[in-house]
């Protein structure tokens, strides 16, 4: 079933046919596969770098790379390969993951307009709302898949290069490997949820232009700008409202007991961005003059 056919057939399941077609279309694109490939490569490079560093530097019992730089989990990787999952997510979350989301979200509507297929997709009455929701759902699915690609790649490399077993939390307590694996999955889900704000922002930008490249560039530019502003001390009063401010709060899931305050704030901020920019995207798209 084509996307246009899916739109034109109302269903109690909302736009399941359109969503299925949109997911297939998105994940078959070479651009999407390339983005996922880059994300999968990051844990491989980190794991190999740590292995070489500890092998050359004589870290012995697993002290990790000298200097203690990088994500907080990196010094524990040689003790337990599961820490490569946490390190890889911490390394990709500030730029690689949101950049990939920005590309997919920014191209969602603008790409269709640029390709001349947007009018074709809007032939059915009330198609705009369903199409916009489907685009956002597809972007969210990419958020989850991209995050899991990083996590699975890191877990595989960690298991191949380093030992696995019980691990020590940030609080110093010991937990079983099974519990650590469960926390790794929970952390991956939290990281994916941390990207819904960027997804909504990118979708809104995508409704403002008919150029997919311009929408993607603008979204990534806003992402970089917000993260720069989040590092300026003089802006501390407004920084908690930046979508990136609580991104690394997922590390609190590796405490015993878990610290929930920043995690809840992060999810709250993401929900706020989703509502505000999702509504703005709908308002803009509903009134958009589609000439493509």
């Amino acid at each position: 079933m084509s996307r246009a056919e899916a739109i034109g057939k109302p269903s109690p399941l909302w736009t399941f046919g359109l969503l299925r077609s949109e997911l297939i279309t998105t994940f078959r694109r070479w651009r999407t596969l390339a983005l996922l490939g880059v994300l999968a490569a990051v844990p491989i490079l980190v794991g190999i770098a740590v292995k070489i560093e500890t092998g050359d530097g004589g870290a012995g019992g697993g002290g990790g790379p000298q200097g203690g730089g990088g994500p907080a989990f990196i010094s524990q990787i040689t003790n337990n390969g599961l820490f490569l999952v946490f390190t890889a997510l911490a390394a990709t979350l500030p730029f690689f993951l949101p950049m990939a989301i920005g590309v997919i979200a920014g191209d969602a509507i603008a790409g269709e307009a640029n390709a001349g297929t947007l009018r074709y997709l809007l032939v059915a009455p009330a198609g705009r709302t369903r199409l916009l929701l489907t685009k956002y759902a597809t972007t969210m699915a990419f958020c989850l898949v991209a995050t899991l690609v990083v996590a699975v790649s890191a877990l595989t490399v960690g298991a191949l290069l380093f030992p696995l077993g019980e691990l020590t939390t940030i609080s110093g307590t010991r937990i079983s490997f099974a519990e650590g694996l469960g926390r790794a999955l929970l952390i991956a889900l939290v990281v994916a949820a941390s990207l819904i704000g960027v997804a909504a922002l990118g979708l809104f930008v995508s409704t403002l232009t008919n150029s997919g490249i311009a929408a993607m560039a603008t979204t990534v530019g806003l992402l970089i700008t917000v993260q720069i502003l989040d590092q300026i001390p003089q802006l501390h009063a407004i920084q908690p409202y930046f979508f990136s401010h609580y991104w690394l709060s997922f590390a609190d899931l590796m405490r015993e007991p878990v610290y929930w305050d920043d995690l809840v704030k992060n999810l709250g901020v993401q929900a706020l961005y989703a509502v505000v920019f999702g509504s703005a995207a709908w308002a803009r798209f509903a009134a958009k003059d589609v000439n493509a």
Side-chain angles (χ1 to χ4, degrees), residues 147-169:
T147 304
L148 291 178
V149 163
V150 174
V152 171
S153 175
L155 180 60
T156 302
V157 174
L160 291 174
L161 298 182
F162 308 102
L164 298 175
E166 291 187 346
L167 61 158
T168 304
T169 66

PDB file of all heavy atoms in Angstrom, residues 147-169:
ATOM      1  N   THR A 147      19.079   4.936  19.095  1.00  0.00           N
ATOM      2  CA  THR A 147      19.627   4.735  20.435  1.00  0.00           C
ATOM      3  C   THR A 147      19.957   3.267  20.677  1.00  0.00           C
ATOM      4  O   THR A 147      21.015   2.936  21.235  1.00  0.00           O
ATOM      5  CB  THR A 147      18.630   5.218  21.495  1.00  0.00           C
ATOM      6  OG1 THR A 147      18.296   6.583  21.251  1.00  0.00           O
ATOM      7  CG2 THR A 147      19.231   5.110  22.892  1.00  0.00           C
ATOM      8  N   LEU A 148      19.085   2.386  20.252  1.00  0.00           N
ATOM      9  CA  LEU A 148      19.331   0.956  20.433  1.00  0.00           C
ATOM     10  C   LEU A 148      20.497   0.475  19.584  1.00  0.00           C
ATOM     11  O   LEU A 148      21.236  -0.426  19.990  1.00  0.00           O
ATOM     12  CB  LEU A 148      18.064   0.164  20.094  1.00  0.00           C
ATOM     13  CG  LEU A 148      16.894   0.329  21.070  1.00  0.00           C
ATOM     14  CD1 LEU A 148      15.689  -0.471  20.601  1.00  0.00           C
ATOM     15  CD2 LEU A 148      17.298  -0.099  22.480  1.00  0.00           C
ATOM     16  N   VAL A 149      20.696   1.071  18.418  1.00  0.00           N
ATOM     17  CA  VAL A 149      21.847   0.718  17.579  1.00  0.00           C
ATOM     18  C   VAL A 149      23.145   1.032  18.314  1.00  0.00           C
ATOM     19  O   VAL A 149      24.082   0.220  18.334  1.00  0.00           O
ATOM     20  CB  VAL A 149      21.789   1.474  16.230  1.00  0.00           C
ATOM     21  CG1 VAL A 149      23.154   1.455  15.528  1.00  0.00           C
ATOM     22  CG2 VAL A 149      20.742   0.849  15.321  1.00  0.00           C
ATOM     23  N   VAL A 150      23.203   2.204  18.946  1.00  0.00           N
ATOM     24  CA  VAL A 150      24.385   2.569  19.732  1.00  0.00           C
ATOM     25  C   VAL A 150      24.588   1.585  20.885  1.00  0.00           C
ATOM     26  O   VAL A 150      25.694   1.091  21.114  1.00  0.00           O
ATOM     27  CB  VAL A 150      24.257   4.001  20.272  1.00  0.00           C
ATOM     28  CG1 VAL A 150      25.421   4.327  21.213  1.00  0.00           C
ATOM     29  CG2 VAL A 150      24.223   5.009  19.133  1.00  0.00           C
ATOM     30  N   ALA A 151      23.504   1.288  21.600  1.00  0.00           N
ATOM     31  CA  ALA A 151      23.594   0.415  22.775  1.00  0.00           C
ATOM     32  C   ALA A 151      24.003  -1.011  22.390  1.00  0.00           C
ATOM     33  O   ALA A 151      24.875  -1.612  23.035  1.00  0.00           O
ATOM     34  CB  ALA A 151      22.256   0.405  23.514  1.00  0.00           C
ATOM     35  N   VAL A 152      23.384  -1.558  21.350  1.00  0.00           N
ATOM     36  CA  VAL A 152      23.691  -2.931  20.938  1.00  0.00           C
ATOM     37  C   VAL A 152      25.114  -3.023  20.388  1.00  0.00           C
ATOM     38  O   VAL A 152      25.846  -3.973  20.685  1.00  0.00           O
ATOM     39  CB  VAL A 152      22.676  -3.413  19.887  1.00  0.00           C
ATOM     40  CG1 VAL A 152      23.103  -4.751  19.294  1.00  0.00           C
ATOM     41  CG2 VAL A 152      21.290  -3.543  20.520  1.00  0.00           C
ATOM     42  N   SER A 153      25.523  -2.038  19.607  1.00  0.00           N
ATOM     43  CA  SER A 153      26.892  -2.018  19.101  1.00  0.00           C
ATOM     44  C   SER A 153      27.895  -1.972  20.254  1.00  0.00           C
ATOM     45  O   SER A 153      28.891  -2.707  20.254  1.00  0.00           O
ATOM     46  CB  SER A 153      27.089  -0.816  18.184  1.00  0.00           C
ATOM     47  OG  SER A 153      28.437  -0.707  17.765  1.00  0.00           O
ATOM     48  N   ALA A 154      27.614  -1.116  21.239  1.00  0.00           N
ATOM     49  CA  ALA A 154      28.514  -0.988  22.389  1.00  0.00           C
ATOM     50  C   ALA A 154      28.555  -2.281  23.211  1.00  0.00           C
ATOM     51  O   ALA A 154      29.625  -2.699  23.667  1.00  0.00           O
ATOM     52  CB  ALA A 154      28.061   0.175  23.267  1.00  0.00           C
ATOM     53  N   LEU A 155      27.400  -2.900  23.404  1.00  0.00           N
ATOM     54  CA  LEU A 155      27.356  -4.143  24.174  1.00  0.00           C
ATOM     55  C   LEU A 155      28.136  -5.246  23.460  1.00  0.00           C
ATOM     56  O   LEU A 155      28.882  -6.013  24.100  1.00  0.00           O
ATOM     57  CB  LEU A 155      25.906  -4.569  24.393  1.00  0.00           C
ATOM     58  CG  LEU A 155      25.696  -5.861  25.194  1.00  0.00           C
ATOM     59  CD1 LEU A 155      26.291  -5.728  26.592  1.00  0.00           C
ATOM     60  CD2 LEU A 155      24.215  -6.207  25.280  1.00  0.00           C
ATOM     61  N   THR A 156      28.000  -5.320  22.152  1.00  0.00           N
ATOM     62  CA  THR A 156      28.709  -6.343  21.378  1.00  0.00           C
ATOM     63  C   THR A 156      30.217  -6.135  21.451  1.00  0.00           C
ATOM     64  O   THR A 156      30.976  -7.083  21.719  1.00  0.00           O
ATOM     65  CB  THR A 156      28.252  -6.304  19.902  1.00  0.00           C
ATOM     66  OG1 THR A 156      26.839  -6.498  19.840  1.00  0.00           O
ATOM     67  CG2 THR A 156      28.951  -7.380  19.101  1.00  0.00           C
ATOM     68  N   VAL A 157      30.647  -4.900  21.237  1.00  0.00           N
ATOM     69  CA  VAL A 157      32.088  -4.602  21.293  1.00  0.00           C
ATOM     70  C   VAL A 157      32.613  -4.799  22.711  1.00  0.00           C
ATOM     71  O   VAL A 157      33.706  -5.344  22.909  1.00  0.00           O
ATOM     72  CB  VAL A 157      32.352  -3.162  20.812  1.00  0.00           C
ATOM     73  CG1 VAL A 157      33.820  -2.794  20.994  1.00  0.00           C
ATOM     74  CG2 VAL A 157      31.946  -3.007  19.358  1.00  0.00           C
ATOM     75  N   GLY A 158      31.839  -4.362  23.697  1.00  0.00           N
ATOM     76  CA  GLY A 158      32.250  -4.526  25.087  1.00  0.00           C
ATOM     77  C   GLY A 158      32.420  -5.982  25.460  1.00  0.00           C
ATOM     78  O   GLY A 158      33.360  -6.355  26.183  1.00  0.00           O
ATOM     79  N   ALA A 159      31.529  -6.851  24.978  1.00  0.00           N
ATOM     80  CA  ALA A 159      31.619  -8.275  25.274  1.00  0.00           C
ATOM     81  C   ALA A 159      32.807  -8.924  24.579  1.00  0.00           C
ATOM     82  O   ALA A 159      33.420  -9.866  25.104  1.00  0.00           O
ATOM     83  CB  ALA A 159      30.326  -8.968  24.855  1.00  0.00           C
ATOM     84  N   LEU A 160      33.160  -8.412  23.393  1.00  0.00           N
ATOM     85  CA  LEU A 160      34.273  -8.985  22.643  1.00  0.00           C
ATOM     86  C   LEU A 160      35.632  -8.557  23.184  1.00  0.00           C
ATOM     87  O   LEU A 160      36.591  -9.336  23.166  1.00  0.00           O
ATOM     88  CB  LEU A 160      34.163  -8.586  21.168  1.00  0.00           C
ATOM     89  CG  LEU A 160      33.006  -9.215  20.366  1.00  0.00           C
ATOM     90  CD1 LEU A 160      32.941  -8.623  18.971  1.00  0.00           C
ATOM     91  CD2 LEU A 160      33.167 -10.731  20.299  1.00  0.00           C
ATOM     92  N   LEU A 161      35.722  -7.324  23.673  1.00  0.00           N
ATOM     93  CA  LEU A 161      37.029  -6.779  24.057  1.00  0.00           C
ATOM     94  C   LEU A 161      37.296  -6.779  25.558  1.00  0.00           C
ATOM     95  O   LEU A 161      38.457  -6.727  25.973  1.00  0.00           O
ATOM     96  CB  LEU A 161      37.154  -5.337  23.538  1.00  0.00           C
ATOM     97  CG  LEU A 161      37.100  -5.141  22.021  1.00  0.00           C
ATOM     98  CD1 LEU A 161      37.285  -3.661  21.684  1.00  0.00           C
ATOM     99  CD2 LEU A 161      38.156  -5.986  21.323  1.00  0.00           C
ATOM    100  N   PHE A 162      36.233  -6.826  26.368  1.00  0.00           N
ATOM    101  CA  PHE A 162      36.415  -6.690  27.811  1.00  0.00           C
ATOM    102  C   PHE A 162      35.596  -7.740  28.561  1.00  0.00           C
ATOM    103  O   PHE A 162      34.665  -8.322  27.999  1.00  0.00           O
ATOM    104  CB  PHE A 162      35.990  -5.281  28.264  1.00  0.00           C
ATOM    105  CG  PHE A 162      36.638  -4.168  27.485  1.00  0.00           C
ATOM    106  CD1 PHE A 162      35.931  -3.495  26.498  1.00  0.00           C
ATOM    107  CD2 PHE A 162      37.954  -3.822  27.717  1.00  0.00           C
ATOM    108  CE1 PHE A 162      36.521  -2.478  25.765  1.00  0.00           C
ATOM    109  CE2 PHE A 162      38.566  -2.808  26.992  1.00  0.00           C
ATOM    110  CZ  PHE A 162      37.849  -2.137  26.003  1.00  0.00           C
ATOM    111  N   PRO A 163      35.937  -7.976  29.830  1.00  0.00           N
ATOM    112  CA  PRO A 163      35.161  -8.954  30.603  1.00  0.00           C
ATOM    113  C   PRO A 163      33.775  -8.428  30.947  1.00  0.00           C
ATOM    114  O   PRO A 163      33.536  -7.218  30.955  1.00  0.00           O
ATOM    115  CB  PRO A 163      36.010  -9.135  31.876  1.00  0.00           C
ATOM    116  CG  PRO A 163      36.780  -7.862  32.007  1.00  0.00           C
ATOM    117  CD  PRO A 163      37.071  -7.427  30.595  1.00  0.00           C
ATOM    118  N   LEU A 164      32.863  -9.348  31.213  1.00  0.00           N
ATOM    119  CA  LEU A 164      31.526  -9.012  31.669  1.00  0.00           C
ATOM    120  C   LEU A 164      31.288  -9.673  33.020  1.00  0.00           C
ATOM    121  O   LEU A 164      31.924 -10.656  33.358  1.00  0.00           O
ATOM    122  CB  LEU A 164      30.462  -9.490  30.666  1.00  0.00           C
ATOM    123  CG  LEU A 164      30.510  -8.889  29.254  1.00  0.00           C
ATOM    124  CD1 LEU A 164      29.463  -9.566  28.369  1.00  0.00           C
ATOM    125  CD2 LEU A 164      30.268  -7.388  29.298  1.00  0.00           C
ATOM    126  N   GLY A 165      30.371  -9.138  33.768  1.00  0.00           N
ATOM    127  CA  GLY A 165      30.068  -9.705  35.090  1.00  0.00           C
ATOM    128  C   GLY A 165      29.410  -8.671  35.976  1.00  0.00           C
ATOM    129  O   GLY A 165      28.795  -7.714  35.479  1.00  0.00           O
ATOM    130  N   GLU A 166      29.514  -8.870  37.279  1.00  0.00           N
ATOM    131  CA  GLU A 166      28.962  -7.893  38.212  1.00  0.00           C
ATOM    132  C   GLU A 166      29.624  -6.541  37.999  1.00  0.00           C
ATOM    133  O   GLU A 166      30.788  -6.456  37.613  1.00  0.00           O
ATOM    134  CB  GLU A 166      29.174  -8.359  39.657  1.00  0.00           C
ATOM    135  CG  GLU A 166      28.347  -9.569  40.058  1.00  0.00           C
ATOM    136  CD  GLU A 166      28.481  -9.864  41.547  1.00  0.00           C
ATOM    137  OE1 GLU A 166      29.403  -9.296  42.196  1.00  0.00           O
ATOM    138  OE2 GLU A 166      27.683 -10.662  42.064  1.00  0.00           O
ATOM    139  N   LEU A 167      28.865  -5.482  38.253  1.00  0.00           N
ATOM    140  CA  LEU A 167      29.437  -4.160  38.076  1.00  0.00           C
ATOM    141  C   LEU A 167      29.150  -3.280  39.276  1.00  0.00           C
ATOM    142  O   LEU A 167      28.202  -3.522  40.038  1.00  0.00           O
ATOM    143  CB  LEU A 167      28.918  -3.503  36.797  1.00  0.00           C
ATOM    144  CG  LEU A 167      27.429  -3.246  36.634  1.00  0.00           C
ATOM    145  CD1 LEU A 167      27.224  -2.148  35.592  1.00  0.00           C
ATOM    146  CD2 LEU A 167      26.706  -4.499  36.155  1.00  0.00           C
ATOM    147  N   THR A 168      29.986  -2.270  39.420  1.00  0.00           N
ATOM    148  CA  THR A 168      29.875  -1.342  40.543  1.00  0.00           C
ATOM    149  C   THR A 168      29.161  -0.083  40.082  1.00  0.00           C
ATOM    150  O   THR A 168      29.530   0.522  39.074  1.00  0.00           O
ATOM    151  CB  THR A 168      31.268  -0.962  41.073  1.00  0.00           C
ATOM    152  OG1 THR A 168      31.976  -2.150  41.421  1.00  0.00           O
ATOM    153  CG2 THR A 168      31.147  -0.058  42.288  1.00  0.00           C
ATOM    154  N   THR A 169      28.134   0.322  40.822  1.00  0.00           N
ATOM    155  CA  THR A 169      27.386   1.529  40.474  1.00  0.00           C
ATOM    156  C   THR A 169      28.187   2.771  40.854  1.00  0.00           C
ATOM    157  O   THR A 169      29.233   2.681  41.507  1.00  0.00           O
ATOM    158  CB  THR A 169      26.032   1.559  41.195  1.00  0.00           C
ATOM    159  OG1 THR A 169      26.258   1.689  42.611  1.00  0.00           O
ATOM    160  CG2 THR A 169      25.241   0.287  40.933  1.00  0.00           C
TER     161      THR A 169
END
